[in-house]
Amino acid sequence: MQLVWFKRDLRSEDHQALATAAANGPVLPLYIVEPELWQQPDSSARHWGFVRECLQALDQSLRALGQPLWVIQGDAVEVLSQLHQRFGISALHSHMESGNRFTFERDLRVLALCKDKAIPWLEYRQHGVLRGLRQRENWAEQWERLMSKPLVHCPPLTGPGEGPFELDFECGTDLAHRQRGGAAQGWKLFDSFVSERGEHYRQTMGQPMQAGRSCSRLSPYLAFGAMSLREVTQRSRMITKTQYTAPSAWKSSMRSFDKRLHWHCHFIQKLESEPRMEFEALHRGMQALYPAEADPLRLQAWVAGQTGWPLIDACMRAVEHTGWLTFRMRAMVVSCASYLLNLPWQSTALPLARAFLDYEPGIHYSQMQMQSGTTGINANRMYNPVKQGFEKDPAGEFVKRWCPELEAVPKEWIHMPYKAPRSLQQKWGIKLGDDYPLPLIEPEQALREARHRLKQYRAMYDLGEEAKRVLKMHGSQLRQNRPNYNDSKAGLDQLDFDF
DNA sequence: GACAATTTATA
DNA sequence: ATAAATTGT
């Protein structure tokens, strides 16, 4: 009996596993519910509903092939070892996972079991991420080659996507309209993105009120493997080629989307190549940039959306509630927590991972470190939350949706109510420090302190050699070919060009 | 023993 | 996919 082990949920490329296995004889499709995995501090347990929907969709697809999904609870090694005792596993097929330390170590135990019982374990590559990679040269070309490879035949995609369900693209507070699991849902979103919603993706992806509609919203399906990145890439390129050839908003939006599909793997590859980055600074010299322990009051205020910086608070409350936030706002909340509040990224990474419906370890830790300045090869991006507020949410709509206590504040003051004269605050009927918190620290002062800390740190350590190592192993080719990457202007990461 | 072909290991 | 390790000539 061959096992096809769906390690997360419907890993689309596991159809390759399924197809390969089925060609060799009888197959048992298996999903193991691992209690320990779901108890990890970065666990997606609160999004179990989404995962269950993905599993139901997978089960329906498999039943159509006459092989229902087996779902067994327990430790992966124990479950596999018992199945081996009962049925005799002739081969184990699964996807190649780039996950957190828990899944890495679990896979090592599974590997030991397979070696012991002489079970061949075939791990199929998911997307553009390569195992055993030592340096980034030619990575982009390889990504292109992998993405243009022909798709593996998929069983019919059924599941909750067939119902009349509509996603609330405004990311409102009604959870009846949360994102739903299953490939069919994902493809429905894909269709509406490439035909209607995505036209102004490029211009509006940074604005929290508009991004919910103009972004694809495919991230959860890609994270849980309900959709294949290769299929999304190929289909969106085909649509661009046939429908959006002339220069237009559509064309630049589609190009922008394509870049992000590429970055998806670019970031996961970092964790694959250097798994210690889940816990340690990628640039070893940057380890001491942040205190070992987070200031508990500041951390608590940030997590709860009670910092007194309206846009940050609105973002934190929104992501806690809906599981989604547009990329630019994620960058901002992390940058402000790290630079302005001096909170170590390890402490803010966990509550965010739990909140994100689309938590993908490789992207998450790459971004946490990038927005905290610990990669040593990216430009330091410090955001002023007040300035960002007036730029990205000029009418204050987003802030008012998630911080209703600020409803009466006019847009001129909405992002800095604490600066308004007392008489005005009285007129609005708001008592700061009571109805809404006073800021933990004024952004301007926090920015001054952060710049000072960084300057002092840089003066204290010689960071050049390690930066070269990180660049060689993790830098995109675009950057490696730029000679003055250390120069403050040339050192901007490619991400900066696209906002 | 030198070199080519093949297998293995690779977070 | 790739490089290192192993086997074959």
Side-chain angles (χ1 to χ4, degrees):
Chain A
M1 175 67 75
Q2 298 176 96
L3 277 190
V4 173
W5 178 22
F6 291 90
K7 292 170 74 180
R8 205 151 163 188
D9 76 314
L10 196 160
R11 278 282 156 191
S12 299
E13 295 294 307
D14 279 348
H15 294 306
Q16 184 177 350
L18 207 56
T20 314
N24 290 326
V27 172
L28 192 129
L30 170 72
Y31 179 81
I32 306 173
V33 181
E34 299 162 274
E36 223 188 312
L37 174 62
W38 293 94
Q39 283 159 16
Q40 293 299 302
D42 62 347
S43 158
S44 305
R46 79 161 75 165
H47 301 301
W48 174 246
F50 183 90
V51 179
R52 199 182 52 215
E53 284 158 4
C54 288
L55 286 169
Q56 283 167 349
L58 171 60
D59 181 49
Q60 282 185 37
S61 303
L62 290 169
R63 274 170 200 273
L65 303 176
Q67 305 162 306
L69 180 69
W70 281 41
V71 179
I72 303 178
Q73 183 173 320
D75 172 71
V77 174
E78 277 172 33
V79 170
L80 291 172
S81 138
Q82 279 176 23
L83 283 171
H84 183 59
Q85 255 177 28
R86 267 184 74 183
F87 302 108
I89 304 170
S90 58
L92 178 63
H93 305 259
S94 77
H95 80 270
M96 191 182 280
E97 186 167 11
S98 306
N100 59 10
R101 182 154 73 187
F102 176 83
T103 64
F104 184 13
E105 286 176 355
R106 172 255 272 145
D107 283 353
L108 289 178
R109 288 190 293 125
V110 171
L111 186 66
L113 174 80
C114 289
K115 279 207 168 133
D116 183 41
K117 309 284 184 199
I119 302 167
W121 183 13
L122 297 101
E123 291 178 280
Y124 300 86
R125 193 171 35 229
Q126 276 308 287
H127 27 53
V129 175
L130 301 171
R131 184 143 287 181
L133 193 76
R134 280 140 205 278
Q135 42 99 4
R136 276 299 181 106
E137 218 184 335
N138 302 323
W139 187 86
E141 285 84 350
Q142 273 178 50
W143 187 85
E144 285 297 332
R145 226 180 302 147
L146 288 167
M147 283 307 123
S148 53
K149 273 170 93 172
L151 298 170
V152 173
H153 169 74
C154 278
L157 299 166
T158 54
E162 290 177 333
F165 169 76
E166 271 300 322
L167 171 63
D168 172 14
F169 291 112
E170 311 306 325
C171 300
T173 52
D174 182 3
L175 283 187
H177 298 288
R178 66 180 174 82
Q179 283 195 255
R180 305 293 283 271
Q185 272 300 333
W187 287 113
K188 223 167 84 174
L189 285 170
F190 176 87
D191 289 340
S192 69
F193 175 68
V194 298
S195 64
E196 305 155 32
R197 296 186 291 114
E199 183 172 9
H200 301 291
Y201 172 67
R202 172 76 204 270
Q203 299 99 307
T204 56
M205 67 166 89
Q207 289 153 273
M209 272 311 277
Q210 294 169 63
R213 179 174 292 278
S214 67
C215 289
S216 74
R217 313 297 299 274
L218 297 186
S219 53
Y221 308 94
L222 294 171
F224 284 103
M227 290 170 105
S228 141
L229 191 88
R230 178 181 303 159
E231 192 172 0
V232 171
T233 305
Q234 291 188 8
R235 280 175 65 168
S236 81
R237 283 181 175 181
M238 181 55 77
I239 287 161
T240 308
K241 214 172 121 187
T242 53
Q243 285 174 253
Y244 304 127
T245 47
S248 64
W250 265 117
K251 197 180 178 186
S252 66
S253 285
M254 291 303 279
R255 194 184 305 130
S256 204
F257 180 61
D258 191 87
K259 269 191 199 167
R260 276 156 182 79
L261 294 173
H262 179 270
W263 288 340
H264 166 273
C265 306
H266 170 78
F267 289 122
I268 299 174
Q269 182 72 61
K270 290 174 196 253
L271 183 67
E272 167 72 27
S273 295
E274 220 163 334
R276 65 175 187 87
M277 77 176 293
E278 186 182 348
F279 305 101
E280 295 168 21
L282 198 59
H283 186 299
R284 290 187 172 89
M286 288 296 189
Q287 191 61 18
L289 182 61
Y290 293 100
E293 293 292 327
D295 177 321
L297 288 179
R298 281 185 169 191
L299 179 61
Q300 196 188 4
W302 181 82
V303 171
Q306 299 283 350
T307 65
W309 298 336
L311 185 59
I312 298 285
D313 292 342
C315 286
M316 293 305 293
R317 296 179 196 186
V319 75
E320 174 74 12
H321 197 86
T322 67
W324 189 83
L325 191 64
T326 190
F327 178 76
R328 179 61 182 263
M329 293 296 106
R330 298 187 194 205
M332 183 195 66
V333 295
V334 172
S335 164
C336 288
S338 297
Y339 291 121
L340 304 195
L341 298 178
N342 202 25
L343 293 168
W345 57 268
Q346 292 93 333
S347 70
T348 48
L350 297 173
L352 275 188
R354 291 192 294 266
F356 290 160
L357 176 60
D358 52 18
Y359 169 53
E360 171 67 61
I363 299 179
H364 191 58
Y365 290 104
S366 297
Q367 283 303 321
M368 291 306 300
Q369 295 219 33
M370 227 173 110
Q371 306 303 339
S372 309
T374 51
T375 65
I377 60 166
N378 297 105
N380 296 106
R381 296 185 65 97
M382 288 185 205
Y383 295 96
N384 180 333
V386 176
K387 185 163 170 273
Q388 286 293 310
F390 286 118
E391 271 176 26
K392 307 291 177 209
D393 184 33
E397 285 171 278
F398 185 72
V399 163
K400 288 182 184 183
R401 163 170 292 172
W402 294 102
C403 305
E405 63 270 41
L406 297 174
E407 184 58 47
V409 180
K411 63 175 191 282
E412 294 74 25
W413 296 102
I414 188 68
H415 296 294
M416 45 176 199
Y418 53 91
K419 279 203 174 162
R422 277 286 159 80
S423 56
L424 268 181
Q425 294 181 23
Q426 259 171 5
K427 197 177 130 203
W428 305 329
I430 289 170
K431 202 156 175 256
L432 288 177
D434 212 349
D435 302 316
Y436 181 74
L438 282 161
L440 291 169
I441 178 172
E442 289 216 16
E444 293 77 10
Q445 192 200 333
L447 275 162
R448 269 195 306 274
E449 288 177 14
R451 286 195 200 100
H452 181 69
R453 268 198 305 271
L454 211 59
K455 203 176 156 189
Q456 280 208 315
Y457 192 84
R458 287 232 180 86
M460 221 154 49
Y461 299 94
D462 179 19
L463 305 166
E465 277 307 304
E466 172 71 353
K468 279 183 197 159
R469 181 196 71 82
V470 175
L471 191 73
K472 186 174 180 203
M473 190 155 181
H474 301 284
S476 70
Q477 220 157 11
L478 211 134
R479 303 199 51 219
Q480 298 198 8
N481 295 338
R482 218 179 290 144
N484 303 317
Y485 70 90
N486 251 346
D487 178 72
S488 62
K489 274 184 187 159
L492 288 174
D493 190 90
Q494 53 170 334
L495 284 170
D496 294 296
F497 298 119
D498 212 50
F499 282 119

